[in-house]
Amino acid sequence: MLRDFSVSALVAGFVAVLVGYTSSVAIVFQAAAALGATQAQTVSWMWALGLGMGVTSAGLSLWTRKPVLTAWSTPGAALLVSAGGGVPMEQAVGAFVACAALVTLAGLTGWFARVMDRIPQALAAALLAGVLARFAFDAFLSARTALVLVLAMSCVYLVGRRAWPRYAVPAVLAAGVAVAAAQGRIDLSGVAWGWAVPVYTAPAFSLSALVGVALPLFVVTMASQNLPGVAAQRAAGYDTPVSPAIATTGLASLVLAPFGAYALNLAAITAAICMGREAHEDPRRRYVAAVCAGGFYVVLGLLGGAVVGLLAALPRELVLGVAGLALLGTIGSALAAAMKDEGSREAATITFLVTASGLTLGGVGAAFWGVVAGAAALGVARWRRGAGGAG
């Protein structure tokens, strides 16, 4: 670990955590509020989620020597906002426990890994590019409200990629903070420092919560989070053991569910930051970025309530700009891999476009429907070629 450590990996881990929290922490707070959580319980949620993500990210990355990053289920939190209304917190925690048990079972039995093995590499790469494209779009669209800030970061990125490629993203982050500070857009006065205190909620089980919360949460987490998470690993060239990783996130959720860890899963977007060249030129040393991210997750979890004020101090455009620019290389590589084979190019294009569209049907996100649409297109193309050959 010490031999493989680098400043670029440390910064990549920090950027991954920064993006992960700022992009969806508000949804997690809305989910807690929908379930009637008290302020102490909400802080406990942040403690449990931060600790769970940190320990699993660092542990899996050190064990596999690959950049394995975990995250909370953002679609799952959005689901809780709508489906959690009227559900008592005790029954919701019971649903979290049931969902975690199902995720653990999916990992231990290996059925999810078998499903992933049937997805062609071209579609996996297109799926990754589609998932990440939104962040690149948002980075450049943020120029409408912070033109000077986005232009400064973009210029530093372009120069940095040529002059010091390993430190281009750290330079972008430093430039963004400097410009935002010069504009007076960073205010730390709202940060209330203090350690988080975990609050235990005894789970209670009811049929309505199991059917209305646990099962949808399981489906959304597997289809919209774990599926693109595994696809990101494979598109980056890492043969991470899927079943143990899924089982680990399930077990961590199972232990921490009474404290507010509603669902942990493999990350895709933030993991891509740790798997790119910006983390390290040597792919074998990029796992350090995920280990560092795990450390940052643990610190933020322990700080609990201070997280909101700390993240609110940064301009939204700064976070979007850093995320989008950090992911440009990964998006380009994924698109190149997706479009390389002419026979699957059309199916990969459909996968990319459906995924990038943000389509949601039946509460299931675009990542799942992108794979479904691409697989259907690929199946029809192969059937037509087979029928033509037979004729």
Side-chain angles (χ1 to χ4, degrees), residues 22 98 117 155 193 251 338 343 375:
T22 53
D117 288 339
C155 290
W193 300 103
L251 289 171

Side-chain angles (χ1 to χ4, degrees), residues 169-231:
V169 174
V172 169
L173 178 61
V177 171
V179 172
Q183 294 176 331
R185 300 189 61 187
I186 297 180
D187 181 14
L188 299 176
S189 60
V191 181
W193 300 103
W195 298 110
V197 178
V199 176
Y200 178 82
T201 302
F205 300 94
S206 70
L207 182 61
S208 59
L210 292 176
V211 174
V213 177
L215 288 179
L217 182 60
F218 169 72
V219 172
V220 164
T221 299
M222 298 302 290
S224 299
Q225 294 287 108
N226 281 325
L227 189 150
V230 176

Side-chain angles (χ1 to χ4, degrees), residues 21 24-39 41-47 49 72 77-78 81 262 304-309 311:
Y21 265 83
S24 57
V25 70
I27 302 176
V28 176
F29 275 90
Q30 287 178 329
L35 294 170
T38 63
Q39 183 176 358
Q41 286 175 322
T42 302
V43 172
S44 180
W45 277 43
M46 301 310 300
W47 176 87
L49 290 167
W72 58 51
V81 173
Y262 61 93
V307 172
V308 181
L311 298 179

Side-chain angles (χ1 to χ4, degrees), residues 37 88 93 374 377:
V93 170

